[in-house]
Structures are given as structure tokens and as C-alpha cells.
Amino acid sequence: MRVLLARTVRMDVAWHLQHRPRPEVLPRPGDASLQQGRHPGIQRPPGDARLRDEVRAGLATVQREGFGGSHCLCHGDVGNLEVLHLAGEVLGEEAWKQAARSRAARVLAQGRDGAWRCGLPRFTEAPGLMLGLSGIGLGLLRLAAPDFVPSVLALQPARSLGSG
């Protein structure tokens, strides 16, 4: 049930991302159109109270039921950490980012105990991005340095470290 719910939430987000006009018009954290409830690719305005309630209910469900399986980026704990973190960025609500960091500490503790759980049968270790150790590491690195590490799940572009 947890995996199905998490996958459904991500599929819904992916559907909305695919049906927007162009990547450059996607709302970004702090986007004025998001706060004002105007954005060209969204059916209901984000300022709509019903939409915000639905988003919060979905996030609460992810927080309550989306953890405890594998750690993978695709359908596991680290992918759900990204959902919570992105929600905190987009909604401007620090509580969701804090929830992601708190859950990340649990994932790290399990990994330190030698129990990394990849998204394959019997949690078999694999090097891959979506189901394996690479994705787990990238997801945790993103939470540690979100200003430098883009979200693979949200298809964010690479970030420049600046010129120095």
C-alpha cells in the first residue's frame, strides 16, 4: 500500500509536469504567480484553498505511510523525502523540509548499520540511479545541499557553482 500510494502521488506530479506548456514556465519556489494563484499550466489555481488542502492531505499521507520499504529514489524512502522537500520549497512551508530532514536521518542511520535497501527484490544492492545506491546517495546529497544539487525527480537543470 505504501509503495502504491507513493507511486500514485509521484505519477500525479509527473502527469502535471508533462502536461504543462514548457519547462521554463513551471513554477519555481518563490514564483509570484504561485503565491497569487496564477500559473498557465495548472488547471485549478494554486491559491485555491481546495487544491492546497488536497496537496497537504497527500503530503500528510506520504509522511504517514510512504516510508519503511526500500530506500530507492524511484519508489522508496529517498524519493518520498524529495516529495516532502520540494513541497516545502514550492509551498514555502519549512515544516515539510524539516520532515524530510528528520526522515533522512533515519535512512542514514539504517545505512550506517549496513542496511541500505535498494528497490529490487530482497533489497538486493545495485549501483543504479532510480533503484540503487547512486540514487539513494544523490537524494541524500540533495537534501544536504539543495542549493547545489538539482532534483532529478523534478527534472531540475544542473546548477552552476558560480564563477570564482
Side-chain angles (χ1 to χ4, degrees):
M1 178 67 175
R2 284 181 262 198
V3 170
L4 179 61
L5 176 65
R7 191 175 299 160
T8 301
V9 169
R10 277 200 222 111
M11 285 172 47
D12 187 49
V13 169
W15 185 90
H16 286 289
L17 289 174
Q18 290 172 355
H19 291 87
R20 292 196 178 158
R22 294 181 310 276
E24 61 269 16
V25 298
L26 292 175
R28 303 280 185 235
D31 186 344
S33 67
L34 186 67
Q35 270 63 28
Q36 296 166 359
R38 296 186 326 259
H39 205 276
I42 298 176
Q43 300 291 330
R44 281 184 285 168
D48 180 329
R50 193 170 99 188
L51 177 60
R52 284 196 175 260
D53 289 345
E54 288 175 10
V55 168
R56 286 189 183 102
L59 291 168
T61 302
V62 168
Q63 189 174 19
R64 186 179 61 250
E65 299 181 23
F67 295 92
S70 77
H71 294 139
C72 75
L73 190 59
C74 178
H75 60 271
D77 292 359
V78 173
N80 288 334
L81 293 173
E82 179 62 15
V83 169
L84 295 175
H85 186 267
L86 281 173
E89 285 184 346
V90 172
L91 298 173
E93 297 177 11
E94 186 63 29
W96 295 116
K97 290 193 222 178
Q98 182 55 41
R101 288 189 293 268
S102 174
R103 294 279 185 167
R106 294 180 200 167
V107 171
L108 279 170
Q110 291 170 341
R112 282 190 200 120
D113 291 339
W116 293 114
R117 298 190 311 244
C118 293
L120 298 171
R122 292 181 282 217
F123 305 128
T124 303
E125 282 195 7
L129 179 66
M130 295 306 289
L131 299 175
L133 296 171
S134 297
I136 294 168
L138 180 64
L140 294 172
L141 184 60
R142 165 137 167 85
L143 284 175
D147 293 337
F148 296 106
V149 181
S151 171
V152 173
L153 296 180
L155 303 176
Q156 292 178 338
R159 299 192 176 145
S160 170
L161 295 177
S163 55

